[in-house]
Amino acid sequence: MLAGSVLSLHRWPVKSLAGEQADALALDVRGVAGDRAHALYDEFRGHPRRLTVRQVPRMLRWRAAYRDGEVTPDGVPVPTLTAPDGAAYRWDDPALAGALAEDLGRPVELRRDLGLMQDVRDTIHVTTQATLAALGEELGRPLDVRRFRPNVHVALDAAPYAEQGWTGRRLRVGGVVLELLDPCERCVIPTRDPETTVKDPEILRRLARQHDTCFGIYARAAGPGRIAAGDPVELLPA
């Protein structure tokens, strides 16, 4: 039986902006409370479009964090966004949309949805240290896990990329059971350095050539709960 522990927890209050590391996360079947509960939209070909780093890499230079109390599935405070120049704006600040538009070079609309706005609805993204380290060794340089925007990053006594075969299994994290879904097929977002936004296309090329373009695995919580950094992790028998 594979066992280990939670190395780090991550929450991304605004889709495609830099997020925050957390000591603990509340979750339910929708995912991690407050994770991707906010997004920026522009207009593309006459229709609203949810913006990501694909269109605007500079989004990574903005940081979003919850500073106004506990974050629960039905009690998500508005986040505070910090601009590249250090200026901070609450999500409900009337000046925020203008500051974002000026910095990102386009008008934006701010949207909030406590149903969460993940790429795959109602999911939690799990990554493993073995896979992160192995990919770094393949590329000849260490990689920041934030490139892959996980919620739960774990150390397990499993081989690199073993999670690609875990579909249908269950992962116990602390007192919470996660149902493991499909491996996460990656796009260009991990090619952007989370601090500088500099592009490293070899990351995606390597994943495509050797690993079916996958890194990490999607999961769904069986029910509400709370997980913390350092919690024990166990891959349950099939």
Side-chain angles (χ1 to χ4, degrees):
M1 186 178 299
L2 300 178
S5 63
V6 175
L7 287 182
S8 61
L9 298 171
H10 305 264
R11 182 169 51 214
W12 313 92
V14 182
K15 187 172 178 63
S16 265
L17 269 57
E20 58 184 350
Q21 191 165 326
D23 293 329
L25 296 173
L27 47 84
D28 67 4
V29 294
R30 290 170 288 185
V32 169
D35 183 57
R36 298 168 175 91
H38 306 81
L40 307 181
Y41 279 72
D42 72 351
E43 186 174 297
F44 182 67
R45 296 180 178 175
H47 300 282
R49 173 179 63 175
R50 190 165 63 194
L51 281 176
T52 73
V53 173
R54 296 180 191 89
Q55 296 87 35
V56 190
R58 190 168 173 82
M59 292 174 72
L60 285 173
R61 301 296 303 277
W62 284 75
R63 298 187 179 278
Y66 293 112
R67 299 180 179 175
D68 296 335
E70 185 180 3
V71 183
T72 64
D74 295 311
V76 179
V78 297
T80 295
L81 275 59
T82 303
D85 65 4
Y89 305 84
R90 280 172 51 100
W91 184 257
D92 53 6
D93 186 335
L96 175 58
L100 284 163
E102 181 177 0
D103 187 68
L104 301 180
R106 66 188 67 205
V108 296
E109 176 189 351
L110 280 59
R111 296 192 184 182
R112 173 178 165 96
D113 181 359
L114 298 192
L116 309 183
M117 291 179 272
Q118 311 102 321
D119 288 335
V120 178
R121 295 284 298 190
D122 302 334
T123 57
I124 294 163
H125 183 211
V126 179
T127 57
T128 71
Q129 180 59 27
T131 299
L132 180 68
L135 181 58
E137 289 175 5
E138 292 170 27
L139 294 166
R141 53 192 177 277
L143 295 174
D144 190 324
V145 71
R146 293 177 299 166
R147 285 183 180 270
F148 302 94
R149 302 179 75 83
N151 298 120
V152 183
H153 185 58
V154 303
L156 278 173
D157 51 2
Y161 304 100
E163 61 272 22
Q164 292 187 24
W166 291 350
T167 297
R169 302 284 296 273
R170 294 176 300 151
L171 190 72
R172 180 182 289 122
V173 183
V176 174
V177 173
L178 302 180
E179 300 168 354
L180 297 173
L181 306 174
D182 296 316
C184 181
E185 186 173 351
R186 309 313 307 205
C187 63
V188 298
I189 290 177
T191 67
R192 295 286 180 178
D193 185 282
E195 293 292 339
T196 67
T197 76
V198 171
K199 191 173 183 178
D200 184 353
E202 184 56 31
I203 294 173
L204 193 60
R205 293 191 192 116
R206 170 66 64 165
L207 289 175
R209 287 196 301 263
Q210 303 292 333
H211 308 293
D212 297 323
T213 323
C214 291
F215 186 102
I217 189 167
Y218 289 115
R220 182 167 295 131
R226 181 182 181 277
I227 56 178
D231 272 353
V233 176
E234 182 180 33
L235 184 67
L236 299 179

